[in-house]
Amino acid sequence: MFKNMQVPMTFFLMHTGMMFYLFPMDMIASTKEIHWLPIATGLLIQLAIIALYLKGIRYYHGHNVVTVLMRKSRWLGWVIFLPLWLYIGVLAVLTVRSFAEIISIVVSSSMPLWHFDFMFIAIPTYIVLRGSIQGLMRLSLLMGVLFLPSVLFVLAASFQNIDPHYAAPLVPRSASDFAFLGQASYYKSLFAFSGCFLFMGLVPSYVSFTARGIYTAYAFLIPLYLLAVYIPLMTLGEETSSQLEFPFIFTADTIDIEWLMFDRVTMFLVLGLLAFILLFIAVLIWQMENVFRLSVRNVRPNILLPILACVIFVCCLFIPDWKSVNALFRWDLYLWGYVSIITPLAVFAAGRRYTGQLQKEAP
């Protein structure tokens, strides 16, 4: 039972870690009203991608998709997995750099950013080095037990200052309500969805899971995505929320609970989400290591992982400020589009053909 929960819990916690920082800012910037519409559109896009990806994974009968595709055709494997590897690497760099900036604002702005960069790389790398993917999956269960209650507590407490009138209007009235589809900030917000599902094609040979578990975890994510956007909107209003870089974190900072011994409720939220972000980065680094070893050269993890960590750290040092982070997120949209569309389609199509060949070879 607990083994089948490991991958869905990891999937859930990775999304939860990503959604409360950049997602509300980008989603609020993409439209002036009816914010549930772009959220629902993004969720439907993600659901379609995940459904296609999971369907494709089923065809491999518990085998790693990289191994199967590289055996089938190395050229096909490289066409699929080289952009995937680059995308995961860029996403790891941007995640480390952006969350180092966020944590420096929330925790200590006097510390140099490279200290946070180093922490966000060293801890996940050590976890992967010591426990590999099986250890990460087990760790996700422990993180869920330890940190999910604090995040849910802050979510519940944040309702004390809301004004439901700020959520209006809720009903689309014209085609202009879909103008968010032309906004770059909307597609940037989809990064909260994108990097959290690809690992499922790499883990079947290590950890078992079911599609039902993933869909159940996804169902629990839907209200969280809505709350991540609507709590700042109903507390501060659209005009004020759109001016803030991290509207949900700012909203959590306004919570006042007299009986709580801590001065800032935000610390509960930040500590919980920080753990989930470290898990997310660890899974990204493991994916980079796994894809490289299976498709290029089988280098020992104790050699390859430190090299990947150093490359990510050096890349982070070359990003000077938050403006550069946002610019790189926009450039990465092209890789995001390729990976989010081509990879699931290729895995699905190759999986069907792989199953067909197995049936022909069967006596």
Side-chain angles (χ1 to χ4, degrees):
M1 176 183 174
F2 287 106
K3 281 191 175 182
N4 287 336
M5 288 175 59
Q6 291 175 8
V7 175
M9 179 61 79
T10 304
F11 175 84
F12 179 84
L13 295 183
M14 288 166 64
H15 278 85
T16 305
M18 294 292 287
M19 72 171 66
F20 291 103
Y21 287 107
L22 303 177
F23 179 75
M25 173 182 67
D26 294 324
M27 194 58 70
I28 291 171
S30 69
T31 185
K32 293 290 185 183
E33 55 186 26
I34 318 179
H35 292 82
W36 68 264
L37 194 56
I39 297 171
T41 304
L43 288 169
L44 288 173
I45 292 172
Q46 173 75 347
L47 181 60
I49 291 171
I50 289 173
L52 184 65
Y53 194 55
L54 288 174
K55 183 69 173 176
I57 291 170
R58 285 180 58 190
Y59 289 128
Y60 294 85
H61 304 291
H63 295 289
N64 188 309
V65 297
V66 180
T67 303
V68 174
L69 290 177
M70 293 304 293
R71 286 176 182 171
K72 185 178 180 62
S73 169
R74 294 192 71 84
W75 289 108
L76 174 63
W78 283 332
V79 167
I80 297 171
F81 294 113
L82 180 60
L84 173 65
W85 194 85
L86 290 174
Y87 172 74
I88 293 171
V90 173
L91 186 59
V93 170
L94 291 177
T95 303
V96 169
R97 186 60 183 79
S98 58
F99 282 96
E101 188 100 27
I102 294 166
I103 296 301
S104 71
I105 294 171
V106 176
V107 178
S108 174
S109 57
S110 60
M111 285 183 65
L113 275 174
W114 72 266
H115 289 184
F116 293 104
D117 290 338
F118 182 81
M119 179 190 73
F120 276 122
I121 296 170
I123 295 175
T125 303
Y126 179 77
I127 294 172
V128 176
L129 194 58
R130 300 302 297 175
S132 190
I133 191 62
Q134 295 95 331
L136 280 175
M137 297 297 103
R138 290 191 294 269
L139 181 62
S140 69
L141 293 178
L142 180 62
M143 283 185 172
V145 172
L146 292 178
F147 297 110
L148 262 181
S150 64
V151 174
L152 296 177
F153 169 75
V154 174
L155 277 173
S158 62
F159 279 89
Q160 66 177 226
N161 298 321
I162 67 168
D163 181 355
H165 294 94
Y166 282 135
L170 293 175
V171 180
R173 291 166 294 184
S174 65
S176 62
D177 292 324
F178 290 88
F180 62 85
L181 292 172
Q183 299 294 322
S185 59
Y186 175 69
Y187 295 100
K188 181 169 169 277
S189 74
L190 298 181
F191 278 102
F193 303 121
S194 59
C196 304
F197 73 93
L198 295 167
F199 79 102
M200 293 186 294
L202 306 179
V203 300
S205 54
Y206 303 97
V207 184
S208 62
F209 68 96
T210 63
R212 179 181 296 179
I214 299 298
Y215 290 132
T216 302
Y218 194 74
F220 282 112
L221 285 169
I222 294 173
L224 295 184
Y225 273 111
L226 291 168
L227 291 176
V229 175
Y230 271 96
I231 284 177
L233 285 173
M234 292 190 293
T235 303
L236 307 170
E238 191 277 332
E239 191 66 34
T240 304
S241 298
S242 62
Q243 303 300 318
L244 300 172
E245 284 190 324
F246 311 113
F248 190 89
I249 302 300
F250 183 88
T251 303
D253 219 16
T254 65
I255 299 172
D256 182 24
I257 302 177
E258 295 181 359
W259 52 266
L260 197 65
M261 62 182 292
F262 298 98
D263 292 333
R264 298 178 67 191
V265 179
T266 319
M267 298 307 296
F268 279 96
L269 180 69
V270 169
L271 288 175
L273 297 182
L274 178 59
F276 302 158
I277 291 299
L278 291 174
L279 176 67
F280 176 69
I281 296 170
V283 173
L284 290 179
I285 292 173
W286 176 80
Q287 288 178 87
M288 292 180 67
E289 179 251 342
N290 191 260
V291 171
F292 185 91
R293 285 196 304 105
L294 294 177
S295 62
V296 181
R297 187 178 180 85
N298 189 13
V299 182
R300 287 186 298 172
N302 61 347
I303 296 175
L304 181 57
L305 284 170
I307 292 173
L308 291 175
C310 290
V311 171
I312 293 172
F313 181 66
V314 170
C315 291
C316 289
L317 295 180
F318 279 96
I319 303 176
D321 51 33
W322 186 252
K323 185 177 180 181
S324 301
V325 173
N326 279 321
L328 287 170
F329 265 119
R330 288 188 170 87
W331 278 105
D332 200 34
L333 280 173
Y334 300 104
L335 269 178
W336 170 84
Y338 183 92
V339 168
S340 296
I341 297 171
I342 300 300
T343 301
L345 282 172
V347 168
F348 176 79
R352 288 194 64 177
R353 192 169 180 182
Y354 174 71
T355 301
Q357 289 178 346
L358 290 179
Q359 291 174 347
K360 288 179 181 178
E361 293 171 1

